[in-house]
Amino acid sequence: MTEARHGLHAKLAWRRGDMVLDVDIALPPTGITALFGPSGAGKTSCLRAIAGLERASEGRVTFGHEVWQDSARRVFVQPHRRRLGYVFQEPSLFVHRSVAGNLDYGFRRAGRPAHLDRQGLIERFGLRGLLDRGVGGLSGGERQRVSMVRALLSDPALLLFDEPLSALDANARSDLLGCLESLHAELDLPMIYVSHNIDEVARLADHIVLLDQGHVVAQGALQATLTRLDLPPALAEAMGSVIEGAVVGYDAHDQLIELDFPGGTLWLPHRHEVVGQRLRCRIGARDVVLTQAPLAGTSALNQIRCRIVAMADADHPSQCLVQLDAGGSTLLARITRRSWHAQGWAPGNEAWAQVKAVALGL
Amino acid sequence: MALLSDQDLLALGLTLRLATTVTVLLLLLGAPLAWWLAHTHSRWRRPLAAVVALPLVLPPTVLGFYLLLLLGPNGWVGRAVAAAGLSALPFTFQGLVVASMLYSLPFVVQPLQNAFESVGVRPLEVASCLGAGPLDRFFSVALPMALPGVLTATVLGFAHTVGEFGVVLMIGGNIPGQTRVLSMRIYDHVQAGEYHQAHVLSLCLLLVSFVALLCMSLLRPGRHARD
């Protein structure tokens, strides 16, 4: 049984200025877990505490069979003995070393493990031509790619990402997101990904931990958690459903792709997807219109037949959140109370979710 | 006529030996101190930083006077030295080294401290997450990144020791080959009305100082090389 089978468990409490952080997080042993929340929620502090960079935290952190911190028994394993990779928001490259020197810093200290494909990672992240360069002349995206490969080459048992894309421009961000998606598909490594960007989270994460004001509000599987109706107002913008399916069609003329997901199909704008690939797509609760029946004469390309599961108050008194079952996938719609009452809906009723394809373009 | 007399050459050699010894020792001892000052959250940080900075504002004679009392046969350091079976420090080269180290301390510690502070905590955290232990981090990350500060500290420490006078006067005296350094020699020449010799030696010191500062600015990365 490998250490990763047990995953990470962190139960920590500490003060940071006026804020009290108190978190109890249990992560599954594989896949990407997002730490998500509004800025100031304590996501980064949480990640730093897990890494052992936040000495003020009290509590217990275990990873697999290893105890990383146990304040009651005065156990504190230094970060360099935790076998973790940490990708910071700013790439934080060593300016006195070349790109190759940066990449090999952790690789050498890990004993150049044979199971790590150094060359392959360098190729995949497009760093081959940069190896001999100094880090001063690199673009933001290149720097962050170096810092990611540097972390991967240190042979981590757990990878931590602290908003690695937030300082990048749209192109670099999309590139790196692709790299991360492919890593996710291939690596067995558990990863924690801190972000306040719900679209990034929707594309990458399998699990999510929602943080607000230093506390864990909810944690669990991504889809189930983001469609819960009892999340606090601070997380309202994140609410919506994430569906996953296979690309089954491509309309070259209209530049649209068709996604087959449990519960129906969706048309959405084509970027660089190919038929046959798996794709995730986030449908924000604000982007869903509910109707009693399918409409003719609408510009909404997607009409999905659903059953109403439940309704709950939204963060604004004029609005409510409606949870829908599309026949295997859960959708969420944010509508006005006026509409809800005007249509006379109740849980169990049939309704049609209208989703603009335009709203699905990431 | 030789430009420099044997006595002058002796003083020059002694001065260089003193400055080199002091600089090397100060770098070795000052680095941990500077590191501590740069990274500690202890409440003793500010008082200690003030003590380190004292020689910047204190008249050298005051420093020398207290050192004389402290190191002398009745001072507690002097007694400890005597109890350890060692010869007394005042009016010896070793005494001069100790005094000069105190006198030049801020010129070495402060550039080092600034350099360590400007490296910041982040590169060390990165190194730590890449598997580097504390000593490894210091030598593989902090020191190379702080190199310009180390050079500044070296040059300032050396140049400042070369130029000291007051402390030497108080604690070293004027013993040829032992404590008679260049600045003492210049003073002697002027006292004796030997302005020509004083000129030559002064020019030496001026040149050393200028070259030191020039080297420092040449060795520093250019203003636009780092961003």
Side-chain angles (χ1 to χ4, degrees):
Chain A
M1 192 186 276
T2 66
E3 57 196 20
R5 289 287 158 252
H6 289 261
L8 180 103
H9 186 204
K11 185 169 173 20
L12 291 167
W14 69 103
R15 286 187 81 83
R16 196 192 60 196
D18 295 338
M19 191 156 87
V20 177
L21 289 102
D22 188 358
V23 296
D24 187 346
I25 297 173
L27 302 185
T30 55
I32 299 186
T33 302
L35 280 186
F36 180 83
S39 50
K43 308 182 290 289
T44 295
S45 298
C46 203
L47 200 67
R48 290 175 56 83
I50 289 170
L53 297 173
E54 196 83 45
R55 290 304 300 260
S57 63
E58 293 267 328
R60 196 174 146 85
V61 180
T62 58
F63 181 68
H65 296 296
E66 297 172 27
V67 178
W68 281 354
Q69 180 175 355
D70 189 345
S71 306
R73 291 193 297 138
R74 296 180 166 274
V75 175
F76 188 93
V77 177
Q78 294 293 327
H80 67 277
R81 298 192 195 281
R82 294 191 180 194
R83 274 193 64 206
L84 42 86
Y86 199 122
V87 177
F88 292 84
Q89 185 171 1
E90 341 75 77
S92 313
L93 300 181
F94 299 130
V95 292
H96 62 293
R97 287 169 169 259
S98 66
V99 169
N102 270 277
L103 295 182
D104 288 337
Y105 190 90
F107 192 48
R108 205 158 54 78
R109 282 163 178 78
R112 301 184 165 273
H115 65 270
L116 284 177
D117 179 12
R118 180 177 180 275
Q119 215 46 44
L121 281 169
I122 287 171
E123 293 289 340
R124 172 173 328 160
F125 281 79
L127 300 178
R128 195 139 102 106
L130 306 177
L131 288 179
D132 296 327
R133 299 250 305 264
V135 298
L138 302 182
S139 71
E142 287 167 340
R143 283 160 176 267
Q144 197 55 289
R145 295 209 300 264
V146 173
S147 109
M148 280 183 189
V149 177
R150 180 175 68 175
L152 284 167
L153 283 175
S154 69
D155 193 23
L158 171 68
L159 259 178
L160 309 175
F161 293 96
D162 186 7
E163 310 221 18
L165 308 183
S166 63
L168 304 180
D169 61 55
N171 279 336
R173 178 185 233 142
S174 154
D175 276 359
L176 264 179
L177 209 49
C179 287
L180 286 173
E181 275 178 329
S182 72
L183 270 189
H184 176 205
E186 283 165 44
L187 287 183
D188 203 18
L189 216 57
M191 307 181 214
I192 305 179
Y193 190 94
V194 164
S195 180
H196 65 261
N197 180 326
I198 192 63
D199 289 317
E200 270 170 45
V201 169
R203 270 179 73 177
L204 291 173
D206 307 297
H207 309 273
I208 189 167
V209 176
L210 296 173
L211 284 174
D212 190 26
Q213 291 173 17
H215 296 272
V216 175
V217 179
Q219 56 184 320
L222 179 79
Q223 274 97 333
T225 308
L226 287 182
T227 49
R228 276 170 59 159
L229 294 176
D230 57 349
L231 299 179
L235 295 160
E237 289 311 313
M239 286 183 215
S241 61
V242 178
I243 56 167
E244 187 167 352
V247 178
V248 293
Y250 169 47
D251 183 334
H253 181 265
D254 289 342
Q255 284 296 301
L256 293 169
I257 52 170
E258 190 176 19
L259 183 72
D260 191 23
F261 71 97
T265 60
L266 271 183
W267 286 102
L268 57 150
H270 173 251
R271 285 167 303 155
H272 25 251
E273 297 82 0
V274 289
V275 173
Q277 78 164 84
R278 303 282 304 168
L279 185 69
R280 277 195 190 176
C281 173
R282 191 179 98 84
I283 307 175
R286 287 181 187 281
D287 297 327
V288 177
V289 173
L290 284 186
T291 60
Q292 291 275 9
L295 298 181
T298 168
S299 73
L301 281 187
N302 303 299
Q303 307 204 49
I304 303 162
R305 182 177 175 169
C306 300
R307 193 177 50 79
I308 294 174
V309 179
M311 185 276 270
D313 296 339
D315 52 326
H316 192 273
S318 70
Q319 296 162 21
C320 60
L321 284 165
V322 184
Q323 202 181 44
L324 305 155
D325 178 10
S329 300
T330 304
L331 300 187
L332 213 55
R334 176 193 280 265
I335 61 174
T336 57
R337 292 180 162 281
R338 178 182 286 183
S339 309
W340 173 262
H341 292 301
Q343 300 301 324
W345 275 316
N349 290 165
E350 183 183 288
W352 287 74
Q354 317 267 334
V355 185
K356 289 164 70 79
V358 169
L360 304 178
L362 284 177
Chain B
M1 182 189 102
L3 209 55
L4 294 170
S5 68
D6 286 350
Q7 282 294 315
D8 289 343
L9 283 174
L10 194 63
L12 181 65
L14 182 71
T15 304
L16 294 179
R17 191 154 63 92
L18 176 69
T20 308
T21 313
V22 166
T23 308
V24 169
L25 287 176
L26 267 184
L27 283 174
L28 291 179
L29 299 177
L33 178 58
W35 181 262
W36 185 82
L37 286 171
H39 290 287
T40 186
H41 297 290
S42 160
R43 61 203 166 96
W44 295 105
R45 188 178 77 97
R46 281 171 195 285
L48 203 81
V51 170
V52 168
L54 263 184
L56 286 177
V57 291
L58 213 57
T61 40
V62 173
L63 184 68
F65 174 64
Y66 281 123
L67 275 173
L68 193 61
L69 293 184
L70 207 62
L71 301 179
N74 295 320
W76 56 268
V77 176
R79 265 186 256 152
V81 167
L86 301 168
S87 56
L89 286 169
F91 310 110
T92 63
F93 180 73
Q94 288 79 3
L96 214 49
V97 169
V98 171
S100 303
M101 282 176 65
L102 281 172
Y103 179 56
S104 295
L105 188 67
F107 292 85
V108 172
V109 169
Q110 288 189 348
L112 287 178
Q113 185 189 340
N114 290 340
F116 288 143
E117 278 168 0
S118 73
V119 167
V121 183
R122 178 51 54 80
L124 300 171
E125 290 182 346
V126 172
S128 151
C129 291
L130 290 169
L135 265 184
D136 187 0
R137 294 198 287 272
F138 179 78
F139 286 108
S140 67
V141 175
L143 206 54
M145 287 179 91
L147 205 57
V150 176
L151 290 176
T152 307
T154 308
V155 170
L156 285 182
F158 189 88
H160 192 247
T161 307
V162 165
E164 72 174 78
F165 178 76
V167 176
V168 182
L169 194 66
M170 296 299 283
I171 196 136
N174 198 356
I175 306 164
Q178 271 280 333
T179 61
R180 182 183 287 168
V181 294
L182 269 188
S183 51
M184 294 301 299
R185 191 80 190 124
I186 294 171
Y187 181 73
D188 288 347
H189 281 312
V190 173
Q191 290 293 74
E194 300 159 353
Y195 275 50
H196 175 69
Q197 286 90 330
H199 256 311
V200 174
L201 287 184
S202 297
L203 210 61
C204 277
L205 276 188
L206 192 75
L207 270 175
V208 166
S209 307
F210 174 74
V211 169
L213 291 175
L214 185 67
C215 285
M216 196 164 88
S217 91
L218 288 179
L219 285 170
R220 282 178 92 85
R223 209 178 301 163
H224 303 291
R226 287 165 57 123
D227 58 347

